[in-house]
Amino acid sequence: MRTAYNEKLAALSEELAEMSQMAGEAMKKATTALLEGDLDLAEEVISSDTKIDALRSQAEEQAFGLLALQAPVAGDLRSVIAAIHSAGDLERMGDLALHVAKAARRRHPAKVLPEDVAPYFAEMGRVALDLAQDARQVILTRDVELAFTMESDDDAMDDLHRHLFTLLLSKDWPSGVAPAIDVTLLGRFYERFADHAVAVARRVVFMVTGKMPNTPEA
């Protein structure tokens, strides 16, 4: 009985890890579509989003099944609850990559980004992919130290996002209102992607230790 239960928990973790991998790859492709005006790549991201949605439904169904049929307690209960919340975060990461791809498609054949901000989005795409890959590793290994190191990458994403606003608010911004709106929205998509990846890592810390990071002692 216990062996079967552990196998189901392991299968659930594998599904979450696959979602993280897919979300990272989606954001990588969406970033390339954004920077290069690649319509085919944007369409690929858009059409593949349903696969991440389906995995979330599947993961939640399995998690609720474990709650209903096994009545887990203590660490097992934390694992199931964390998995349910993580599935939502991971699906949202996929949705944010979808938004980036849709922006690239909407402006095609023109490129969305002014040349002076394109390098920032290239770097934000790199950080987003790193975070998704780290989240996958944390899910599979329950590596608490790696989970904590993800905070520094999230800080790097926040710094990039803040610097974008510095450029947008500068009196020397040369590109007009419409590109400024695009840059503002797109920057927010990348920032939120990073936040959701870190949220997944924090839930793994909760699963392992019983406490969410930054939670004060009682």
Side-chain angles (χ1 to χ4, degrees), residues 21-93:
Q21 179 72 27
M22 291 174 66
E25 288 298 320
M27 186 55 95
K28 178 182 177 181
K29 292 176 181 178
T31 301
T32 301
L34 186 70
L35 295 171
E36 300 179 5
D38 190 325
L39 181 61
D40 290 339
L41 206 52
E43 293 287 3
E44 182 180 338
V45 174
I46 292 165
S47 63
S48 66
D49 182 65
T50 55
K51 297 177 182 177
I52 299 178
D53 295 342
L55 276 175
R56 177 189 179 171
S57 296
Q58 185 174 317
E60 288 184 340
E61 182 178 346
Q62 292 183 354
F64 285 124
L66 288 170
L67 287 176
L69 299 177
Q70 304 293 338
V73 296
D76 290 341
L77 180 60
R78 291 200 304 270
S79 296
V80 177
I81 296 298
I84 293 170
H85 286 291
S86 293
D89 284 309
L90 292 163
E91 184 196 24
R92 185 59 183 150
M93 289 164 64

Side-chain angles (χ1 to χ4, degrees), residues 68-142:
L69 299 177
Q70 304 293 338
V73 296
D76 290 341
L77 180 60
R78 291 200 304 270
S79 296
V80 177
I81 296 298
I84 293 170
H85 286 291
S86 293
D89 284 309
L90 292 163
E91 184 196 24
R92 185 59 183 150
M93 289 164 64
D95 290 340
L96 290 161
L98 172 69
H99 294 335
V100 173
K102 284 184 174 179
R105 181 176 69 176
R106 185 169 60 251
R107 297 297 188 196
H108 185 80
K111 292 184 180 180
V112 180
L113 301 173
E115 289 298 325
D116 51 347
V117 300
Y120 292 96
F121 281 91
E123 180 64 10
M124 291 169 87
R126 184 196 65 77
V127 173
L129 177 60
D130 285 349
L131 282 166
Q133 292 175 334
D134 285 347
R136 175 185 179 275
Q137 189 68 15
V138 168
I139 291 166
L140 291 173
T141 65
R142 301 191 177 189

